[in-house]
């Protein structure tokens, strides 16, 4: 088992990073009438960990006895019937799923499947709670329509069904849904907290950490605890005992983007643009999300620019990412950003150096 | 309906008014509907306004009060966004429902039971234009025996031919005063203690959304016990601390891009919602007295654009960084775009 799973705290009391939130959640569920919850925060901050611990607090050990089910649902879509494939994880008291996996058909998942689940009374009457929980991941990726479809369901069946929603960006969740939940913000752990988590794991694994080593991992992790733990494990595999100078391997794709940035800085021409396009394509094929590529590329470019240009370039990054969101082919917009950058940069060079 | 275990309902549902007269702050619609209860006559209705202001509550309350529990099922059809409301469904479901005649003179145990059926189309702004168009005919065909209640957040998303057939009521965000009195009522019922500062904080952070206020109240009660302070409420509400907004603004004024970028990074890592930040930043900008009107205009224009981009689903980090860079340019009186002539 990977360390990220092995050392995931199981109960609210074991949670160290968001101790205050964990203790608050514990109090929140002492009574039967807790509101719906919306957890939001950056990746790898510990949302899921908190939610799982919360379920355990509500339902005891049975929350961990989950069955994975891959089912195809036949839903009636007006004049025709469509098949929707969906993976659910269910215990006696809760069901977890990511309705946005159904893509543009996510509305049907909410209207047909989730509503049915919410309607049904909890099966397990022996359980401590009079309600069951529906845990929905990545609700910020749900279409507007699907989000609207959740609204009345959250009200109508709230006596015996609670929703726990989880997402990265709460700006993408419609106001009517946010109004129906207690919003719980989970911030990314700071470097100090990450160091402590790494120290803890090292002790358990009986590893000697040279001084400052954990801090370097933490610094490189960009406040992402999952990433920090993964790095530690990679380092352990690459070289043990650790040396304090040991390099912390960056992600392949990040290195690749750093190369792309250098390519762009060296030459601004249609030929170079064509080469860069190939490399961007490579990243997309390897399933690096386009907005992550764009943000990383911006990060690399900003390191190399004058202040005046930085102001300009970050505007164009935002501009093309927005267009990418509205469009369909990410590569067009990534390439457009690079082309724009080249033209701005070249004009700057000519104006400055003639 | 099966009996519900009372205690397991969240407070927002527990304190949903059952009668029209208990709906707070929406006097106009309450007056009209009270009249309906007496005379039985009722036009088609369109309720619109922001979340948590009582729209669904009002529609359900009047329907229950008109028909009572026995007739409710046969006389009231509620279709909301959780139902498939494509054209076909709209046509058949409503037709089938409206087609069964109502027997007049069915006055049951004190309920008015007027001789029509009510169709509540909740969250109607999520219906497609086509489906709305299909409704026009249906409305006309069955106008003798049905009354439609349309409910939505944005009236602009309801097509004009439907809207113009209805008596329109705007549900206003609840005023702080009304909100406070409703909150105090709940506090009494639940045995909570709220000082006046906490009360006014709660009213202001909920921004006229009573549902939100009740959720904050319940959460704070669970977390901090029966005596709740203003600080407790702020901590459950997740509003962005003013210091964060001020620090951001100060950094932008200093003109240092790298520190602004770092601030944006930290902001995202803290998980604050950028859309809400823009609202708070806007307020801070408008109030700032060391920023000229022209600068304010430049900054605000960008805030609007970024807000729209966020609604479209754009990346929060990039949008906020763009806002930061624009604000730096405005505060330091730099030209808007990059000028190529050095
Ligand atoms: N309180 C904690 N103490 C120690 N380790 C933790 C804690 N919270 C999370 N972790 C570790 O960090 C990893 C990431 O956490 P988690 O999966 O909860 O993040 P997340 O917020 O759901 O991220 P994402 O949005 O990317 O899904 C977990 O695998 C776990 O090992
Ligand atoms: N005017 C009001 N008077 C009394 N209670 C209210 C009022 N408005 C909202 N509430 C409270 O907030 C809860 C939600 O209100 P309601 O469902 O009517 O909102 P809505 O206007 O339909 O919102 P949405 O647009 O999100 O559907 C109610 O259960 C009730 O507790
Ligand atoms: Mg997760
Ligand atoms: Mg409603």
């Amino acid at each position: 088992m990977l360390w990220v799973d092995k050392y995931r705290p199981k109960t609210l009391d074991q949670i160290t990073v968001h101790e205050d939130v964990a203790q608050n959640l514990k109090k929140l569920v002492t009574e039967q009438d807790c509101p719906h919850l919306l957890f939001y925060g950056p990746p790898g901050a510990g949302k899921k960990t908190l939610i799982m611990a919360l379920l355990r607090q509500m339902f005891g050990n049975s929350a961990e006895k989950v069955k994975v089910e891959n089912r195809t649902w036949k839903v009636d879509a007006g004049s025709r019937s469509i098949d929707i494939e969906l993976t659910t994880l269910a215990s006696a008291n809760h069901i977890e799923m990511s309705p946005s996996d159904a893509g543009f058909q996510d509305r049907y998942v909410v209207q047909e499947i989730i509503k049915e689940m919410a309607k049904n009374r909890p099966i397990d009457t022996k359980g401590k709670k009079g309600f069951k929980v529906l845990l929905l991941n990545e609700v910020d990726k749900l279409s507007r329509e699907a989000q609207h479809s959740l609204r009345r369901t959250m009200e109508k069946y709230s006596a015996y069904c609670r929703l726990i929603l989880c997402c990265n960006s709460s700006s993408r969740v419609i106001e009517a849904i946010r109004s129906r939940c207690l919003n719980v913000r989970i911030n990314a752990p700071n470097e100090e907290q990450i160091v402590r988590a790494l120290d803890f794991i090292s002790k358990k694994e009986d590893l000697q950490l040279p001084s400052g080593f954990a801090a370097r991992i933490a610094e490189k992790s960009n406040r992402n605890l999952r990433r920090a733990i993964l790095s530690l494990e990679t380092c352990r595999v690459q070289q043990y005992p650790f040396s304090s100078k040991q390099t912390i391997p960056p992600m392949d794709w990040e290195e690749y983007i750093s190369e792309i940035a250098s390519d762009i800085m060296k030459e601004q021409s249609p030929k170079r643009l064509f080469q860069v396009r190939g490399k961007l394509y490579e990243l997309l094929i390897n399933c690096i999300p386009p907005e992550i590529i764009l943000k990383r590329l911006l990060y690399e470019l900003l390191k190399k620019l004058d202040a005046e240009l930085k102001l300009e370039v970050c505007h164009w990054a935002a501009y093309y990412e927005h267009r990418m969101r509205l469009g369909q082919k990410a590569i067009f917009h990534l390439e457009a950003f690079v082309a724009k950058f080249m033209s701005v940069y070249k004009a700057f060079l000519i104006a400055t150096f003639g | 309906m099966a009996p519900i275990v009372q205690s397991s309902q969240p407070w927002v549902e527990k304190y949903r008014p059952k009668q029209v007269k208990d709906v707070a702050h929406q006097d106009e619609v309450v007056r009209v509907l009270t009249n309906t209860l007496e005379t039985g006559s009722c036009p088609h209705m369109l309720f619109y306004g922001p979340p948590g202001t009582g729209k669904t509550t009002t529609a359900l309350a009047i329907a229950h009060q008109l028909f009572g529990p026995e007739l409710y099922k046969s006389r009231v059809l509620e279709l909301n966004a959780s139902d498939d409301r494509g054209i076909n469904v709209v046509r058949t479901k409503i037709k089938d429902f409206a087609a069964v005649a109502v027997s007049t003179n069915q006055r049951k145990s004190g309920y008015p039971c007027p001789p029509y059926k009510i169709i509540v189309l909740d969250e109607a702004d999520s219906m497609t234009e086509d489906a709305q168009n299909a409704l026009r005919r249906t409305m006309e065909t069955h106008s003798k025996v049905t009354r439609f209640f349309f409910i939505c957040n944005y009236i602009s998303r309801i097509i004009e031919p439907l809207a113009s057939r209805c008596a329109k009521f705007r549900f206003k965000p609840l005023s702080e005063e009304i909100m406070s009195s409703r909150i105090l009522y709940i506090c009494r019922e639940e045995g909570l203690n709220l000082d006046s500062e906490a009360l006014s904080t709660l009213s202001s952070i909920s921004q006229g959304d009573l549902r939100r206020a009740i959720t904050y109240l319940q959460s704070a009660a669970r977390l901090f016990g029966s005596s709740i302070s203003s600080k407790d409420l702020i901590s459950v509400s997740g509003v962005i601390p003013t210091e964060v907004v001020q620090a951001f603004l100060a950094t932008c004024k200093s003109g240092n891009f790298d520190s602004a970028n770092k601030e944006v990074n930290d902001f995202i890592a803290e998980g604050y919602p950028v859309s809400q930040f823009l609202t708070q930043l806007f307020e801070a900008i408008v109030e700032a007295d060391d920023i000229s009107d022209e600068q304010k205009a430049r900054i605000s224009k960008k805030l609007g654009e970024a807000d729209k981009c966020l609604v479209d689903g754009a990346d929060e980090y990039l949008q906020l960084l763009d806002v930061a860079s624009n604000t730096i340019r405005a505060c330091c009186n730099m030209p808007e775009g990059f000028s190529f002539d050095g």
Side-chain angles (χ1 to χ4, degrees):
Chain A
M1 199 174 6
L2 285 173
W3 290 354
V4 279
D5 295 317
K6 192 167 165 193
Y7 293 106
R8 191 194 281 273
K10 292 263 184 318
T11 64
L12 289 175
D13 284 324
Q14 286 169 2
I15 283 191
T16 47
V17 177
H18 299 97
E19 209 177 335
D20 47 340
V21 184
Q23 290 309 316
N24 283 348
L25 287 172
K26 206 167 150 186
K27 291 187 212 149
L28 196 67
V29 298
T30 48
E31 304 279 328
Q32 293 275 304
D33 55 4
C34 84
H36 302 300
L37 300 170
L38 169 66
F39 286 82
Y40 63 97
K47 298 179 291 300
K48 202 54 180 296
T49 307
L50 273 164
I51 293 174
M52 297 320 287
L54 176 66
L55 287 173
R56 200 181 145 118
Q57 177 76 29
M58 288 172 161
F59 303 118
N61 288 343
S62 76
E64 272 169 39
K65 298 200 188 86
V66 292
K67 228 173 56 200
V68 184
E69 206 182 348
N70 231 323
R71 241 183 90 177
T72 306
W73 309 72
K74 271 215 174 330
V75 302
D76 189 24
S79 47
R80 72 224 143 82
S81 131
I82 49 174
D83 288 343
I84 294 177
E85 255 181 72
L86 213 61
T87 309
T88 57
L89 262 100
S91 76
N93 300 292
H94 87 279
I95 306 174
E96 172 183 354
M97 64 167 106
S98 308
S100 59
D101 287 352
F104 65 95
Q105 292 173 327
D106 57 0
R107 172 167 69 100
Y108 296 110
V109 177
V110 179
Q111 290 178 346
E112 306 293 330
I113 305 172
I114 293 180
K115 192 166 70 172
E116 278 314 307
M117 290 174 171
K119 257 187 203 166
N120 294 326
R121 295 284 206 102
I123 337 134
D124 177 52
T125 42
K126 295 186 299 286
K128 285 195 293 181
K129 297 278 163 185
F131 58 78
K132 60 168 176 273
V133 168
L134 282 182
L135 164 54
L136 306 183
N137 291 319
E138 306 193 331
V139 284
D140 49 350
K141 296 209 178 118
L142 283 178
S143 66
R144 301 260 126 176
E145 257 187 320
Q147 293 192 29
H148 279 294
S149 304
L150 266 182
R151 292 167 62 174
R152 266 309 272 162
T153 301
M154 294 176 78
E155 295 178 333
K156 249 180 154 163
Y157 311 111
S158 65
Y160 33 88
C161 176
R162 280 316 120 71
L163 266 73
I164 298 182
L165 309 176
C166 184
C167 71
N168 287 136
S169 156
S170 85
S171 290
R172 276 187 207 139
V173 177
I174 60 170
E175 202 193 339
I177 300 248
R178 279 185 274 148
S179 156
R180 282 162 170 78
C181 303
L182 177 64
N183 294 215
V184 186
R185 178 171 62 87
I186 306 299
N187 62 0
N190 60 31
E191 287 178 18
E192 213 175 294
Q193 289 169 318
I194 291 181
V195 168
R196 248 180 285 143
L198 296 178
D199 279 341
F200 175 81
I201 292 177
S202 307
K203 271 211 196 73
K204 290 273 174 189
E205 290 287 322
D206 220 358
L207 302 176
Q208 293 300 319
L209 279 180
S211 82
F213 189 60
R216 274 172 55 218
I217 293 182
E219 195 197 321
K220 288 238 161 137
S221 73
N222 201 13
R223 293 180 66 177
N224 182 329
L225 182 52
R226 179 183 310 112
R227 179 160 178 184
I229 297 174
L230 285 170
S231 294
L232 180 67
E233 196 168 2
T234 315
C235 290
R236 165 73 181 78
V237 174
Q238 287 189 336
Q239 179 189 335
Y240 191 78
F242 297 130
S243 79
S244 54
K245 297 234 172 53
Q246 183 172 348
T247 54
I248 293 149
M251 306 270 193
D252 300 346
W253 62 272
E254 287 182 353
E255 223 162 1
Y256 201 63
I257 291 179
S258 159
E259 275 170 32
I260 296 178
S262 306
D263 291 348
I264 297 173
M265 294 301 287
K266 271 188 216 121
E267 183 186 323
Q268 300 81 38
S269 68
K271 186 166 149 254
R272 183 48 60 94
L273 182 60
F274 182 72
Q275 288 165 349
V276 166
R277 178 182 214 267
K279 292 192 172 180
L280 291 171
Y281 225 56
E282 191 70 24
L283 287 163
L284 288 172
I285 288 168
N286 282 295
C287 293
I288 311 292
E291 70 278 5
I292 303 279
I293 299 178
L294 186 60
K295 279 196 278 186
R296 188 71 196 184
L297 187 57
L298 176 68
Y299 168 84
E300 292 291 346
L301 291 171
L302 286 179
K303 283 203 284 198
K304 304 168 197 272
L305 295 177
D306 275 10
E308 197 185 351
L309 272 176
K310 286 180 184 173
L311 293 170
E312 181 73 7
V313 169
C314 71
H315 164 68
W316 291 113
Y319 177 85
Y320 286 107
E321 194 275 338
H322 175 230
R323 309 241 316 189
M324 187 155 81
R325 195 59 71 170
L326 300 177
Q328 284 184 335
K329 287 260 186 286
I331 187 74
F332 294 164
H333 306 282
L334 290 177
E335 193 179 4
F337 170 69
V338 175
K340 185 76 200 178
F341 177 86
M342 284 182 170
S343 107
V344 168
Y345 188 60
K346 190 143 201 168
F348 168 79
L349 289 179
I350 292 170
T352 318
F353 305 109
Chain B
M1 207 156 80
I4 292 164
V5 197
Q6 267 307 327
S7 66
S8 72
Q9 271 188 312
W11 289 5
V12 273
E13 288 304 322
K14 187 169 168 191
Y15 291 102
R16 187 190 285 279
K18 302 278 179 296
Q19 305 205 324
V20 172
K21 69 172 169 49
D22 295 330
V23 173
H25 196 56
Q26 317 298 355
D27 301 333
E28 206 187 342
V29 67
V30 169
R31 193 161 31 84
V32 170
L33 290 175
T34 311
N35 189 36
T36 298
L37 282 173
E38 280 160 19
T39 63
S41 73
C42 176
H44 297 303
M45 297 275 209
L46 171 58
F47 298 165
Y48 63 101
T53 49
K55 301 179 297 296
T56 304
T57 306
T58 307
L60 296 181
I62 185 72
H64 275 110
Q65 280 180 278
L66 281 175
F67 299 109
E70 247 173 82
L71 281 182
Y72 187 85
K73 264 237 160 81
S74 63
R75 292 295 191 86
V76 183
L77 175 67
E78 188 200 339
L79 288 174
N80 52 62
S82 79
D83 305 299
D84 184 7
R85 293 186 298 189
I87 308 182
N88 285 327
V89 179
V90 163
R91 279 210 193 106
T92 47
K93 262 207 186 148
I94 294 182
K95 212 173 76 194
D96 293 351
F97 178 74
V100 184
V102 297
S103 47
T104 43
N105 232 342
Q106 229 181 352
R107 203 179 168 87
K108 282 246 158 92
S109 52
Y111 293 101
C113 304
Y116 49 76
K117 298 184 174 188
I118 289 184
I119 296 174
V120 181
L121 284 161
D122 203 349
E123 295 141 13
D125 36 5
S126 72
M127 290 176 78
T128 64
E129 219 163 279
D130 286 347
Q132 292 188 36
N133 268 312
L135 266 179
R136 286 166 65 175
R137 276 277 306 284
T138 321
M139 265 175 100
E140 251 149 44
T141 325
H142 305 286
S143 68
K144 272 231 168 75
V145 287
T146 53
R147 296 294 179 275
F148 280 81
F149 280 59
F150 294 98
I151 305 178
C152 63
N153 292 128
Y154 304 101
I155 193 176
S156 56
R157 303 224 178 109
I158 304 294
I159 60 169
E160 178 55 27
L162 284 191
S164 63
R165 284 171 166 79
C166 301
K168 296 187 243 332
F169 295 97
R170 188 169 90 86
F171 280 60
K172 299 168 297 236
L174 275 74
S175 70
E176 296 208 1
E177 213 184 334
I178 306 264
M179 182 100 88
S180 300
S181 75
R182 187 76 192 159
I183 293 292
L184 279 177
Y185 165 75
I186 298 176
C187 287
R188 272 196 305 276
E189 294 286 306
E190 298 287 338
L192 302 177
N193 214 333
L194 220 61
D195 60 38
S196 63
E197 191 199 347
L199 192 62
S200 86
T201 304
L202 182 55
S203 305
S204 79
I205 56 181
S206 320
Q207 309 211 315
D209 178 341
L210 184 51
R211 176 171 34 219
R212 215 176 264 231
I214 297 176
T215 304
Y216 293 157
L217 183 68
Q218 185 188 3
S219 308
R222 289 286 173 268
L223 300 189
F224 308 104
S226 59
S227 267
I228 299 169
S229 72
S230 163
K231 223 176 88 233
D232 300 340
L233 289 162
I234 288 181
S235 82
V236 294
S237 76
V239 292
I240 300 163
T242 343
E243 301 89 77
V244 175
V245 183
Q246 290 307 333
F248 177 89
L249 202 51
T251 311
C252 288
K253 280 182 205 154
S254 79
N256 185 331
F257 177 84
D258 288 335
S259 8
N261 190 6
K262 179 164 182 317
E263 205 133 331
V264 171
N265 261 310
D266 287 344
F267 184 89
I268 299 290
E270 285 302 315
Y272 293 119
V274 173
S275 57
Q276 196 197 325
F277 179 73
L278 296 185
T279 314
Q280 290 182 234
L281 183 61
F282 176 70
E283 279 161 18
I285 302 258
V286 170
E287 277 164 24
D289 37 25
D290 54 350
I291 303 179
S292 76
D293 283 354
E294 196 195 327
Q295 289 169 328
K296 286 183 184 181
R298 271 178 72 176
I299 298 170
S300 306
K301 183 163 168 269
K302 185 54 155 203
L303 291 179
E305 286 166 12
D307 185 62
K308 156 81 171 104
C309 291
L310 288 175
V311 170
D312 289 339
D315 185 82
E316 293 191 301
Y317 165 78
L318 290 174
Q319 289 303 321
L320 188 55
L321 190 61
D322 192 14
V323 165
S325 104
N326 177 269
T327 309
I328 290 175
R329 277 173 166 170
C331 289
C332 305
N333 294 316
M334 293 184 223
E336 225 158 290
F338 178 66
S339 66
F340 292 118
D341 335 303

